[in-house]
Amino acid sequence: MQRFHPVLAVLAAVALLLGGPAALVAQEPQADQPAPPIVDSIVVEGNSRLTASQIIGTAGLVVRQPVNYRDIQRAITNLFRTGQFDDVVVEQRTAGESLVLALKVKERPVLERWAVRGVDRVSEGSVKGRVKLVEGRPLDRNAVEQSRASIDSLYKDAGYYAAQVKTLELPQEAGKIRVVFDVNEGNRVAISQVNVSGNRRFSDKTVVKQMSTRPEGFWWFQNGEYDEDKLEQDVREKLPGWYANRGFVDFQVIGDSLAADTAGGKATLHLKVEEGPRYVVGTFDVEGNRRFSTDELMAFYPFGPVGRTGAPLGEPRPFNRAEWDAANEKVGNLYANNGYIYASVDTKEVRRTGPDGKPRIDLGWTIREGNPATINKIEIVGNDVTHERVIREAIVMLPGDLFSRERLIRSYQNVSNLGFFQQPMPSPDVKPSENGVDVDIVFRVEERRTGNINFGASLGQGTGVGGFLGLEEPNLFGRGKRGRLQWQFGKNINDFTLSYTDPNIRESRISGTVSLFDSRARFTVGDLGRRKQTGGSVQLGFPFFGSRYTRLFTSYSFQRIRYSGGSADLRERFRCTSCTRSSVGTSLLRDTRFGLPFATGGSLTSVSGELNGGILGGTGNYRKVDLEGRWYAPLGGAGSGGEFGGGVQFVLGITAKSGFIFGDAGPFFTELYSLGGVQFGIPLRGYDEFAITPNGFDPEASGNQASPDAFGKSYAAFTVEAGARISQSLYVSTFFDAGNVYRSARQWDPTRLFRGAGFGAAVISPLGPIGVDLGYGFDRVDGDGNPDPGWQLHFKLGNFF
């Protein structure tokens, strides 16, 4: 810490060197005064880290040269500028007739390490970011104080007005020191009241409702938390935006202050606002448009029809900032989606006072269209494994097409949906081509591991101890073909399934899937005996009228089943030593979802029919119809999302499904519908597997076995889900499920449903998809039929999306 010794030393040295006390007030030496004395030697005292020659050299004093008070002042300044010293004193000494200058220094300790402690409620990284000290350098106490004040300011901004920050200096050996910033956080102040002054049109309560910063209340979430960043957003964005949506476009917050009582932990927030006048919409005009007519552009104008003069017809509407900004964006997208990427839409907002004395705002669009841009070429960079043709099939633009921002985004989503690349993918680069008018588009991808291997042991009440092995690769040979093998084996079970899917047979748009299975099981519960199933299926898919998102599928499957052993009741029920099922099916599927595997937008609709037996032969003789619809609406995002969907994405999803079976399924009761749980049949969270039966809720049901009485010939299931896709591999949600299964198609009744609600999370792991749901079943009953609602934990394994 600098003291006053240097000043006194300088004055003393000047007085002695210039011959007495009278020289202390002299500014310049007079002509009759003696010349400055010559220094015979210079000594250094108090130094340990720095050598005497280093200090003398830095001071700039030279022996055998005249020295005046300016030289000494300059020397002291030079030494302090190095940052190596806390104190410097210059003393004059005599040794006989020789003049000796003594430089007495106090070296600063070297900062060995600094740390913070007591940090709990604020991010430790944020606190450390406020410290501007360099280890291994002499301690700068000014920087220490600035760092302490900066940490204190950080806590004040976060609402911890009672926080205290102290600095502790801990001397170490060899002239080193450690500095600790000791934080006593105290309690965060809670806003007990928000006072608004200057508001005439809306009450304090109405204004405060539009803010994130609110006073504490009765409920636990009304904690009155004070956050400087949230208050800044309220003042600069939320309140001006809310007022502007009601015509007060000149609104501003002209002052805010927080009166905090650190002892009581309460604070009062004072806001001073200036509402300004309320504007109604005046005239409207469009200039510069050639590609689209004025009538076409007027379709986007949000404030009603206007006459030839541009004046609104009927009662003028109040101006709404959100509606006006949305209309501007739509016009810009209209041009961008038709190749005019260089077009600019400048908005006109002219404030005036109308003849009736009311404030008006005249609006308009001035459009500079420029020339339309066509796509010169599309490049794909980074695909080391996946063939370029697979990626280009997902891109909905071709060289020579007019550029479209909408199709660019859709192409990005389609490539991302492939699931072969690291997420999130970089946004496509759109850059002018060599002619300066057309554009080149570059998609950048980074390959990721796509296959997974599952293996382990299993234990089932009805099947005994066993193991399982699963292999799946969705990008075989880098050509987007999918191969899947599953094998479950053990003393009582041996299941083998093999499937292969080619999305582009012989590089056409026809897809195909072949699957084979062989299953043998010996049940030890309920004397069910043995069951052996073998079979396979073939499916072909065709674009529906050339559509990219709608496909028509046809399929044929064959299955043979045989029961042996078991109870007499089982043999009487099935009478099946070698039964067969032969079926053909067709389905129409339209899938426009994006953001998979956790969709954040788009929809999926499917209608399918299946004919079993009859003219095809086989034991079973029935028809099956399935209907499904899924719709997803984006709710916004957080983080660096933008139009290409990065960051955290919030979504609302609605699912509706139904199925009907007509005829006799015979021994193939597993082809009927079951409801409950998440793993085997139609999902209904909050209930156990197979718990919902045509007879109602079965409290004895479990996932280990299912009775033939648990299956029905029709069902209805609905889900409403609000979710957040944290990343391409993590999804959390809250849901409401409702569904039921009915004995026949005639009994189908969507008003008789079992209800469940809860929370869930899903993750894409190296071993495949894993999900967990906690559901509350509202309509569960106990063995006596009494209401017994409760929670049910569900684990989902496998490709459940």
Side-chain angles (χ1 to χ4, degrees):
M1 180 177 182
Q2 185 175 351
R3 300 178 296 171
F4 291 100
H5 297 79
V7 176
L8 297 177
V10 170
L11 294 177
V14 170
L16 292 171
L17 287 172
L18 298 183
L24 291 173
V25 297
Q27 300 301 317
E28 294 291 341
Q30 302 298 320
D32 57 348
Q33 289 181 342
I38 296 176
V39 177
D40 294 295
S41 64
I42 302 174
V43 297
V44 180
E45 299 176 356
N47 58 310
S48 59
R49 291 187 293 102
L50 303 174
T51 64
S53 59
Q54 288 176 319
I55 296 174
I56 294 172
T58 302
L61 298 175
V62 182
V63 296
R64 306 298 179 185
Q65 294 291 330
V67 176
N68 60 27
Y69 76 96
R70 291 191 183 89
D71 297 324
I72 293 178
Q73 190 176 39
R74 189 181 303 113
I76 295 173
T77 301
N78 290 343
L79 290 174
F80 272 113
R81 281 177 176 173
T82 63
Q84 298 281 353
F85 306 101
D86 279 333
D87 196 9
V88 177
V89 176
V90 179
E91 292 182 356
Q92 173 186 327
R93 299 174 184 174
T94 57
E97 295 182 357
S98 299
L99 177 62
V100 179
L101 286 184
L103 303 180
K104 300 178 67 174
V105 298
K106 182 180 179 181
E107 293 178 332
R108 288 180 175 178
V110 174
L111 179 61
E112 182 181 62
R113 186 178 299 172
W114 63 265
V116 297
R117 72 182 184 189
V119 177
D120 181 37
R121 300 176 183 178
V122 176
S123 167
E124 186 172 336
S126 300
V127 175
K128 289 184 175 180
R130 297 299 183 101
V131 179
K132 306 301 180 185
L133 298 179
V134 180
E135 295 177 352
R137 298 284 301 275
L139 179 64
D140 185 349
R141 289 188 171 82
N142 183 48
V144 171
E145 177 57 24
Q146 290 180 351
S147 300
R148 187 206 65 78
S150 182
I151 295 174
D152 185 73
S153 176
L154 173 67
Y155 272 91
K156 294 295 188 295
D157 291 344
Y160 293 91
Y161 276 76
Q164 295 180 346
V165 183
K166 299 180 181 179
T167 56
L168 304 177
E169 296 185 3
L170 307 176
Q172 307 294 311
E173 297 179 353
K176 295 183 178 181
I177 195 170
R178 294 185 180 183
V179 175
V180 177
F181 294 91
D182 191 16
V183 181
N184 181 6
E185 294 180 321
N187 293 323
R188 195 175 201 168
V189 296
I191 298 176
S192 60
Q193 187 177 3
V194 179
N195 292 331
V196 185
S197 60
N199 53 316
R200 300 184 304 274
R201 299 297 296 266
F202 301 99
S203 65
D204 288 13
K205 184 176 181 181
T206 302
V207 173
V208 173
K209 279 185 177 181
Q210 317 314 318
M211 302 170 57
S212 299
T213 306
R214 299 181 182 179
E216 60 185 350
F218 174 77
W219 300 105
W220 75 93
F221 55 84
Q222 297 174 313
N223 54 14
E225 178 182 356
Y226 173 79
D227 189 297
E228 184 75 16
D229 293 335
K230 289 183 178 179
L231 178 59
E232 184 75 9
Q233 187 180 32
D234 290 334
V235 169
R236 297 191 178 275
E237 297 179 19
K238 286 194 173 182
L239 286 180
W242 184 79
Y243 264 92
N245 291 343
R246 285 147 184 82
F248 296 89
V249 295
D250 293 334
F251 170 88
Q252 58 181 334
V253 179
I254 58 179
D256 65 271
S257 61
L258 188 72
D261 178 9
T262 56
K266 305 297 182 182
T268 300
L269 177 63
H270 298 277
L271 295 180
K272 187 176 182 181
V273 304
E274 188 175 286
E275 292 179 329
R278 188 184 193 188
Y279 288 86
V280 296
V281 177
T283 62
F284 174 75
D285 63 271
V286 182
E287 298 177 353
N289 54 309
R290 299 187 307 274
R291 171 62 178 83
F292 300 101
S293 68
T294 300
D295 288 340
E296 289 177 300
L297 297 178
M298 281 292 298
F300 299 102
Y301 181 65
F303 302 117
V306 297
R308 292 185 178 181
T309 62
L313 301 177
E315 185 69 21
R317 286 186 53 187
F319 177 78
N320 186 300
R321 173 65 67 188
E323 293 180 1
W324 178 238
D325 289 344
N328 298 333
E329 184 178 0
K330 290 177 182 178
V331 173
N333 288 338
L334 176 66
Y335 274 94
N337 290 333
N338 286 272
Y340 290 84
I341 62 173
Y342 304 113
S344 63
V345 181
D346 298 329
T347 60
K348 294 191 300 184
E349 299 178 11
V350 180
R351 295 168 174 81
R352 64 181 174 87
T353 301
D356 54 0
K358 292 183 178 179
R360 277 178 163 72
I361 182 168
D362 296 332
L363 305 175
W365 289 321
T366 300
I367 301 173
R368 297 178 179 88
E369 293 180 341
N371 296 318
T374 58
I375 299 173
N376 179 52
K377 60 181 178 181
I378 300 175
E379 299 181 50
I380 300 171
V381 179
N383 54 315
D384 302 323
V385 176
T386 306
H387 284 237
E388 189 167 297
R389 184 196 60 79
V390 176
I391 303 174
R392 290 194 179 275
E393 282 289 327
I395 297 174
V396 296
M397 301 181 297
L398 294 173
D401 290 348
L402 279 176
F403 176 84
S404 169
R405 181 186 299 166
E406 187 178 61
R407 284 186 290 156
L408 176 67
I409 296 173
R410 183 74 243 195
S411 298
Y412 173 89
Q413 293 167 344
N414 288 351
V415 175
S416 179
N417 279 355
L418 292 174
F420 305 154
F421 310 111
Q422 296 288 351
Q423 301 296 328
M425 287 171 34
S427 301
D429 294 334
V430 180
K431 52 188 179 181
S433 61
E434 295 180 356
N435 62 17
V437 177
D438 298 334
V439 294
D440 297 332
I441 301 175
V442 181
F443 287 87
R444 301 185 183 277
V445 298
E446 181 182 350
E447 302 276 4
R448 72 177 180 89
R449 189 190 66 81
T450 54
N452 59 70
I453 302 176
N454 302 318
F455 57 89
S458 64
L459 174 63
Q461 182 180 354
T463 56
V465 179
F468 62 90
L469 173 66
L471 303 174
E472 184 173 8
E473 174 54 68
N475 192 19
L476 277 173
F477 320 117
R479 297 183 178 274
K481 307 179 191 301
R482 180 183 296 270
R484 187 164 180 251
L485 180 150
Q486 285 187 324
W487 182 26
Q488 187 174 358
F489 52 89
K491 178 180 179 181
N492 300 322
I493 190 169
N494 195 325
D495 283 346
F496 183 84
T497 303
L498 179 66
S499 67
Y500 172 77
T501 299
D502 188 341
N504 304 98
I505 299 176
R506 299 181 65 86
E507 299 190 0
S508 69
R509 297 191 64 191
I510 301 175
S511 63
T513 299
V514 178
S515 62
L516 302 172
F517 65 89
D518 184 281
S519 173
R520 286 170 287 176
R522 180 169 67 93
F523 298 96
T524 60
V525 176
D527 196 13
L528 298 178
R530 292 178 174 85
R531 183 192 67 194
K532 176 177 175 59
Q533 298 181 91
T534 57
S537 64
V538 177
Q539 183 187 71
L540 295 176
F542 307 88
F544 189 69
F545 291 111
S547 171
R548 183 178 291 271
Y549 303 108
T550 307
R551 298 185 71 83
L552 178 67
F553 295 93
T554 61
S555 63
Y556 175 77
S557 62
F558 180 84
Q559 177 183 359
R560 175 173 294 169
I561 187 170
R562 181 177 63 190
Y563 293 96
S564 60
S567 65
D569 177 70
L570 183 71
R571 293 194 298 270
E572 177 65 24
R573 180 185 292 269
F574 296 121
R575 299 180 182 178
C576 187
T577 57
S578 182
C579 300
T580 60
R581 182 174 69 90
S582 179
S583 63
V584 294
T586 182
S587 62
L588 187 65
L589 173 70
R590 179 170 177 78
D591 189 356
T592 62
R593 296 174 298 169
F594 54 85
L596 298 176
F598 308 113
T600 57
S603 63
L604 178 146
T605 53
S606 173
V607 179
S608 63
E610 187 178 287
L611 174 64
N612 293 268
I615 60 174
L616 301 175
T619 306
N621 183 14
Y622 62 95
R623 280 76 57 203
K624 191 174 185 179
V625 177
D626 288 298
L627 309 171
E628 180 176 2
R630 302 184 184 186
W631 299 270
Y632 301 90
L635 297 179
S640 56
E643 57 189 0
F644 292 100
V648 179
Q649 298 293 310
F650 301 101
V651 62
L652 175 67
I654 299 176
T655 301
K657 298 187 292 185
S658 283
F660 307 90
I661 291 179
F662 306 92
D664 181 14
F668 300 100
F669 67 89
T670 55
E671 294 298 316
L672 302 179
Y673 301 113
S674 64
L675 194 70
V678 297
Q679 194 67 32
F680 297 108
I682 310 302
L684 183 62
R685 290 164 287 192
Y687 301 85
D688 212 333
E689 309 290 336
F690 311 112
I692 308 302
T693 74
N695 298 323
F697 175 75
D698 181 5
E700 304 297 328
S702 71
N704 295 319
Q705 59 180 335
S707 166
D709 295 331
F711 297 85
K713 290 187 175 183
S714 65
Y715 81 95
F718 306 91
T719 295
V720 178
E721 185 170 279
R725 192 191 73 172
I726 310 301
S727 69
Q728 199 77 4
S729 302
L730 178 61
Y731 177 79
V732 295
S733 65
T734 178
F735 60 83
F736 178 82
D737 289 348
N740 201 356
V741 61
Y742 312 98
R743 191 172 306 280
S744 66
R746 285 188 175 182
Q747 294 180 351
W748 185 85
D749 183 358
T751 64
R752 292 172 44 229
L753 302 174
F754 290 85
R755 302 161 299 160
F759 309 91
V763 62
I764 305 298
S765 73
L767 298 180
I770 300 175
V772 60
D773 292 301
L774 181 62
Y776 186 84
F778 293 97
D779 302 308
R780 297 160 55 132
V781 296
D782 59 20
D784 297 327
N786 300 315
D788 186 26
W791 293 96
Q792 180 79 31
L793 186 64
H794 304 280
F795 290 98
K796 296 181 286 189
L797 302 173
N799 194 19
F800 48 82
F801 306 106

